[in-house]
Amino acid sequence: MDQRVCENLSRLFSLEGKVIVMTGAAGAIGSELSKGMAGVGGRMILCDVNEERLESLAEEIRSAGGEAQAMPLNLLEVGTIRPCVERIEAEYGRIDVLVNMAGINKRKPIMDNDPELFDRIMGVNLKGAYFMSQAAAEVMKKNQSGSIINVASYNAVMMLGGNSIYGASKSGVAAMTRSQAIEWAKYGIRSNALSPGHIRTQLTAPLWDDPELSKYMLDRIAMARPGTPQDLLGMTILLASDASAYMSGMLYHVDGGCLAGGQPWNI
């Protein structure tokens, strides 16, 4: 590739030297995004409750020439969030990007849900992201710069049965994103939401392996295939990089054309 082209692309999209905090880093999507962002220069701080997987991921990134550090964190224990962020600031001096990837779900009909499940899903998906953002924004404010990437979902605007709590939490993430964008713009902080469509991971494999359920989903995806974690990397890098300097407060869908209307009728 022409040297000038490489330099221009690097200036726009490189994450070189950026300190990036990724919650939910041990998950299928979080781990792929962490490796991808490290591959374009991000200094990754990996947060999750799965300490063993975190250490393995950090070592994998370092073995590939990237920079990564594991910092175990349980978002359900809100009191541990600020000490974690304070440790990051003490060691790195800044936070350039926060990716609120951590999320959980359990599909159950509305009538079968209980307060404990409600609190657990909301606690990780919304409350945890809310207070993680608050703590990180205080660090970003000092440098008058930062990008927050909240991970919402297709279920923030459309719904599948059995996802009432999850959908409510992700709708809350979308609203939180808009609030962050308008309140923190004066501090040089941008906030956007990445909204994945139907992504195939180890956790969703049983849905895709079910003939009836997979047909239901594929009929609603214009590209007629499930997404992969790697499909989310380009948008994530864009939102983390300087290429998105005038983008804030928006929900960006990566869904294979699902919300556009799915597969067309035969005409």
Side-chain angles (χ1 to χ4, degrees):
M1 185 181 293
D2 182 87
Q3 181 65 28
R4 178 183 57 84
V5 175
C6 289
E7 291 175 355
N8 287 337
L9 284 173
S10 179
R11 185 173 64 254
L12 275 174
F13 297 104
S14 174
L15 304 181
E16 190 71 35
K18 288 186 182 292
V19 177
I20 302 171
V21 180
M22 173 81 68
T23 71
I29 296 176
S31 60
E32 289 301 319
L33 295 186
S34 295
K35 289 185 284 187
M37 297 177 87
V40 290
R43 304 170 68 192
M44 303 305 301
I45 294 100
L46 312 172
C47 299
D48 203 295
V49 294
N50 190 333
E51 296 186 31
E52 182 178 351
R53 175 57 186 145
L54 273 189
E55 292 294 347
S56 175
L57 176 61
E59 180 56 35
E60 185 178 355
I61 290 173
R62 290 192 292 265
S63 296
E67 183 175 348
Q69 180 178 356
M71 287 196 182
L73 175 65
N74 184 352
L75 290 175
L76 285 172
E77 299 176 2
V78 177
T80 66
I81 291 176
R82 193 166 296 274
C84 177
V85 171
E86 289 173 350
R87 177 186 169 191
I88 294 169
E89 183 181 20
E91 294 188 21
Y92 291 85
R94 61 190 297 119
I95 294 175
D96 297 299
V97 181
L98 168 65
V99 184
N100 281 312
M101 170 58 65
I104 59 173
N105 188 23
K106 185 174 180 62
R107 294 177 179 85
K108 294 179 70 175
I110 295 173
M111 297 295 285
D112 293 343
N113 285 319
D114 55 52
E116 290 74 23
L117 181 61
F118 185 95
D119 289 345
R120 182 172 178 80
I121 294 175
M122 285 290 187
V124 174
N125 297 4
L126 185 55
K127 185 177 181 180
Y130 189 100
F131 288 102
M132 189 73 189
S133 297
Q134 182 190 70
E138 290 183 3
V139 180
M140 293 175 174
K141 178 181 175 181
K142 296 176 185 178
N143 294 307
Q144 292 291 293
S145 177
S147 175
I148 296 174
I149 304 170
N150 297 312
V151 179
S153 168
Y154 164 91
N155 287 277
V157 293
M158 297 289 284
M159 188 51 60
L160 294 173
N163 277 351
S164 61
I165 304 175
Y166 180 80
S169 72
K170 293 302 185 177
S171 294
V173 166
M176 178 183 73
T177 299
R178 294 189 289 271
S179 294
Q180 292 172 351
I182 64 172
E183 291 193 24
W184 294 342
K186 62 186 176 184
Y187 305 132
I189 300 171
R190 299 178 294 109
S191 179
N192 291 286
L194 174 69
S195 180
H198 298 295
I199 308 298
R200 184 182 178 105
T201 66
Q202 184 176 356
L203 291 177
T204 63
L207 299 177
W208 290 107
D209 292 339
D210 183 289
E212 184 178 349
L213 293 176
S214 62
K215 182 180 186 307
Y216 178 91
M217 291 187 289
L218 290 173
D219 284 348
R220 284 154 180 79
I221 302 172
M223 291 185 178
R225 69 167 178 86
T228 68
Q230 291 83 359
D231 287 325
L232 303 171
L233 180 58
M235 179 58 74
T236 305
I237 290 175
L238 169 63
L239 294 177
S241 72
D242 295 340
S244 58
Y246 200 57
M247 297 164 63
S248 195
M250 296 302 293
L251 185 63
Y252 293 100
H253 297 282
V254 183
D255 67 355
C258 185
L259 291 174
Q263 296 189 46
W265 295 346
N266 291 323
I267 300 173

